[in-house]
Amino acid sequence: MSVPLSRRRQALISLGGGIFLLFSGLLAVFWQTDPGVGLPPGTLTPRLPDDPALVFEIEIEDSDESVLLRRTLEGWALVSNEGFPADAALAGRLIAALAALEPMGERTHLTERYEALGLGDPATGGDGTRIVMRDTNQGVLADLVIGRQRADGQLYVRHAASPESWLVRGYIPEISSAAHWMELDFLALGRSAIREACILPESGPGYCLRRPSLSSERFDIVSPAGYRLVSPGAGDGVATTLARVRFRDVRPAREIRGPRDAEHRITTVNGLELTVSVFERDGEYWAKLVAIAQSDAARDAAVAINERADGWAFRLSDLTVDRLIRPLPGLAVAVSDSPRE
């Protein structure tokens, strides 16, 4: 028995409507997100792209360390590290990076699978990195947990208050440690700039090394009298230690009390005098810096160093300590006033 054309047409229309409803439902499920988050838009942080200057405070936490930065009149400061100046350029890159995160697709919302994506809660020892950005009224502009970066350059992210996780296109710079923010490599005078270095070691006599001429690459020992270097160039490494130094940590200078244990003072070819006072405390070596301009040409450099170093003590690496305040024995030997037979 044949089915009337009108009934077949009605059945096809019903079938088409059902397919449309099914497709719409699947699409809705695919795009469904936490209603408080409002995803997926073009970004996970809707307020940041419009006005990144709104960010007043940045809090970063991983399982090992917590870092708090705050914007000041002078720039960014590490509140978690006694207000030491923070890298403003890095703050700008981080804000821009969060603002530019582009969701590529939703991933798991199951907390037991977070660790596989590097999204574990750092407050409970998880391997994620939580980044919170706030405005001046402590309103939250972003609150994300950053997970594993994949080989294809994409990474996993989730909102700290939402179970959904996302695969996103973007890149987050190294920011989880205070050391990333401190710019502890600010002292970079350059080897050719140093004319003379005078060292007062922890033990033994003090001594001075000097280039015989501005064109000379090597340093000679000029005091105390009656000494010569064990070999040509033996004093070059000591004399040029401050050509470039990366400090390891920083703390308020007031916490390093008492007399210095050693000293290294250099004079540059343009008249900058820089004194590094060295203090040994509990097996660690800390340095306090004071710069003096002995000429107009050195004034800007002295101001720049003092602005960064005033009120702070900087921890030295073992390698830097070894070169900075090396004792005279082993570097130079006493010579007789009369030639040997």
Side-chain angles (χ1 to χ4, degrees), residues 191-229:
R191 179 186 176 94
S192 61
I194 299 173
R195 177 65 189 274
E196 182 180 79
C198 292
I199 294 88
L200 183 63
E202 287 183 281
S203 60
Y207 59 95
C208 290
L209 304 161
R210 183 188 301 155
R211 295 181 194 271
S213 68
L214 294 183
S215 61
S216 175
E217 288 293 322
R218 290 180 171 174
F219 288 77
D220 292 334
I221 187 165
V222 293
S223 71
Y227 279 81
R228 63 173 176 82
L229 296 175

Side-chain angles (χ1 to χ4, degrees), residues 94-109:
L94 177 59
I95 294 169
L98 287 195
L101 292 178
E102 179 184 354
M104 304 300 294
E106 190 172 355
R107 292 300 183 262
T108 185
H109 65 279

Side-chain angles (χ1 to χ4, degrees), residues 11-340:
L12 288 172
I13 292 173
S14 298
L15 178 61
I19 292 174
F20 175 77
L21 289 174
L22 177 61
F23 178 77
S24 300
L26 289 173
L27 189 63
V29 169
F30 178 79
W31 287 114
Q32 183 177 9
T33 60
D34 185 88
V37 176
L39 294 177
T43 175
L44 298 179
T45 55
R47 296 183 64 188
L48 286 184
D50 293 335
D51 193 358
L54 286 175
V55 180
F56 172 71
E57 191 172 87
I58 302 173
E59 186 173 3
I60 304 164
E61 179 187 9
D62 66 12
S63 58
D64 297 321
E65 190 173 355
S66 181
V67 178
L68 179 62
L69 301 100
R70 190 168 294 148
R71 198 190 295 267
T72 69
L73 293 177
E74 292 78 26
W76 286 91
L78 281 162
V79 179
S80 53
N81 292 76
E82 302 284 348
F84 187 76
D87 187 343
L90 181 56
R93 292 200 302 273
L94 177 59
I95 294 169
L98 287 195
L101 292 178
E102 179 184 354
M104 304 300 294
E106 190 172 355
R107 292 300 183 262
T108 185
H109 65 279
L110 302 175
T111 57
E112 59 268 25
R113 297 187 60 186
Y114 284 166
E115 290 296 333
L117 304 182
L119 292 171
D121 186 355
T124 58
D127 55 359
T129 299
R130 185 175 181 180
I131 304 174
V132 185
M133 294 187 177
R134 303 181 182 90
D135 59 23
T136 55
N137 296 317
Q138 291 299 294
V140 176
L141 302 173
D143 189 355
L144 302 177
V145 177
I146 308 298
R148 179 168 57 85
Q149 184 97 33
R150 303 197 326 179
D152 60 7
Q154 298 176 349
L155 68 155
Y156 299 104
V157 176
R158 68 179 176 89
H159 281 268
S162 178
E164 289 85 5
S165 61
W166 297 83
L167 177 66
V168 304
R169 181 183 290 121
Y171 173 76
I172 303 297
E174 292 288 338
I175 45 87
S176 58
S177 170
H180 293 133
W181 294 92
M182 289 181 175
E183 294 185 287
L184 295 179
D185 55 355
F186 66 89
L187 188 59
L189 300 176
R191 179 186 176 94
S192 61
I194 299 173
R195 177 65 189 274
E196 182 180 79
C198 292
I199 294 88
L200 183 63
E202 287 183 281
S203 60
Y207 59 95
C208 290
L209 304 161
R210 183 188 301 155
R211 295 181 194 271
S213 68
L214 294 183
S215 61
S216 175
E217 288 293 322
R218 290 180 171 174
F219 288 77
D220 292 334
I221 187 165
V222 293
S223 71
Y227 279 81
R228 63 173 176 82
L229 296 175
V230 293
S231 63
D236 295 356
V238 175
T240 60
T241 304
L242 299 182
R244 186 171 186 85
V245 175
R246 178 170 180 81
F247 300 109
R248 296 301 184 233
D249 199 358
V250 62
R251 61 195 294 186
R254 65 177 181 274
E255 296 181 5
I256 306 296
R257 300 177 180 176
R260 61 167 168 45
D261 295 290
E263 182 181 284
H264 185 115
R265 185 178 72 254
I266 61 100
T267 303
T268 67
V269 295
N270 71 345
L272 174 70
E273 180 181 287
L274 175 62
T275 300
V276 178
S277 299
V278 180
F279 303 80
E280 188 276 325
R281 298 294 183 269
D282 300 322
E284 295 181 334
Y285 286 83
W286 296 82
K288 297 180 183 180
L289 282 59
V290 176
I292 299 174
Q294 297 179 339
S295 69
D296 291 341
R299 183 173 291 112
D300 289 346
V303 169
I305 292 172
N306 290 333
E307 283 183 345
R308 180 57 65 92
D310 185 39
W312 302 98
F314 301 89
R315 186 163 65 84
L316 300 165
S317 70
D318 292 341
L319 178 60
T320 299
V321 171
D322 177 64
R323 295 176 59 193
L324 190 71
I325 54 173
R326 185 172 298 173
L328 185 59
L331 188 70
V333 294
V335 294
S336 172
D337 291 338
S338 59
R340 295 181 179 177

